[in-house]
Every structure is written in structure tokens, then in C-alpha cells.
Amino acid sequence: MLGRRGTCATASHASAASPARSSAMFTRRRDDDPSDEVGFRLLEAVRALSGVQDGVRILVESDLPPATGLGGSAAAAVALLAAFDRALGRETPLHSLASEASLLEREILGLRCGLQDQLCAAAGGFLDIRFFDDGFDVGHLAPPPAL
């Protein structure tokens, strides 16, 4: 239920169990004016790439505060792309999700980032990531039992 026009309702909360937990709800309708907030800009970029014209509501929850340099925006970009693809009945390979997310962050949002965070978010697990002049390779490793 989207209710009245509006672009964002955000909420943050902290507790002893989860001191940095934050949550944000992003709602974007076709007639709403764009926002300068990174979360909205990311949502708009993914919406435009997906071809979705209708309104969108997305809830993002994270234990990382924004702009910590710990890959939160990469994880959000990968998750948004994957969610849109799933909702539209598309299956996108993990390598493509990571590459698209990196492109979104660098070229559209103007954020400084490499590709490693997006690859980690897309593939998950204990990874061996190798970069070459003409691309990259991601392999999954079995972590030592002591980990």
C-alpha cells in the first residue's frame, strides 16, 4: 500500500544487541521528483536499467552505517539488481550482477570503488578473486576448519 505521495520514510534504530543497525524504506512513484540521497539515486539507477516504469518500494536494512568503506553500497547495489531481476523473472549470472553494480556505483552514482566488493556481495563465501587486464575470475575456496 503506497498511500499518499512521498519519496521516503527512513528510520534508524540502535540497541544493545545491534548498535549500528539501520533501516531505510525507499518509495518512488513515477511522478515523484528525484532525490539526491545515495539510496534513492541507486534505486533510480536500478529502476531505469531494469525498464520498470511503475512505482517501487524497497526496504534496506544494514548493520553498516553508510560511508564506512566496508562495502555496504556494493552489497545494496548487487541486492537491488538481483531483486529487480528476480521480480522480472530474469536470471542474471553473478559475474554480470557484480559488473553492473560496479558500473552503477562508479559511472552513475560517481562513487569511488573497485569491483572486489561487488564480487564478494554477488558470489558470497570465501573467495579467490583474480583480476586480469581483460577481466576477472572468481573461485570459491573451502575455508580452513579453524575459521
Side-chain angles (χ1 to χ4, degrees):
M1 311 295 207
L2 293 178
R4 291 187 188 228
R5 249 182 93 156
T7 50
C8 177
T10 59
S12 295
H13 66 278
S15 68
S18 181
R21 188 84 171 154
S22 65
S23 159
M25 175 73 75
F26 300 103
T27 302
R28 173 71 163 95
R29 292 173 190 80
R30 188 181 316 181
D31 298 332
D32 288 346
D33 293 328
S35 170
D36 290 334
E37 188 177 339
V38 172
F40 275 112
R41 291 174 45 219
L42 180 60
L43 176 59
E44 283 300 301
V46 172
R47 188 187 61 77
L49 278 177
S50 71
V52 170
Q53 297 295 317
D54 293 334
V56 174
R57 179 184 293 181
I58 211 98
L59 173 66
V60 177
E61 292 185 320
S62 175
D63 290 327
L64 296 175
T68 58
L70 297 174
S73 65
V78 168
L80 276 171
L81 285 165
F84 270 74
D85 284 352
R86 176 72 49 97
L88 296 169
R90 299 189 290 227
E91 289 280 332
T92 303
L94 298 179
H95 286 75
S96 297
L97 276 177
S99 294
E100 287 177 22
S102 180
L103 180 73
L104 279 175
E105 286 194 271
R106 282 192 329 269
E107 302 298 324
I108 296 174
L109 299 181
L111 301 176
R112 300 174 88 188
C113 65
L115 180 58
Q116 66 281 355
D117 290 343
Q118 292 82 2
L119 287 169
C120 289
F126 201 68
L127 304 175
D128 175 18
I129 302 173
R130 297 173 189 238
F131 293 96
F132 308 101
D133 289 338
D134 61 346
F136 57 88
D137 186 43
V138 178
H140 281 86
L141 301 172
L147 291 180

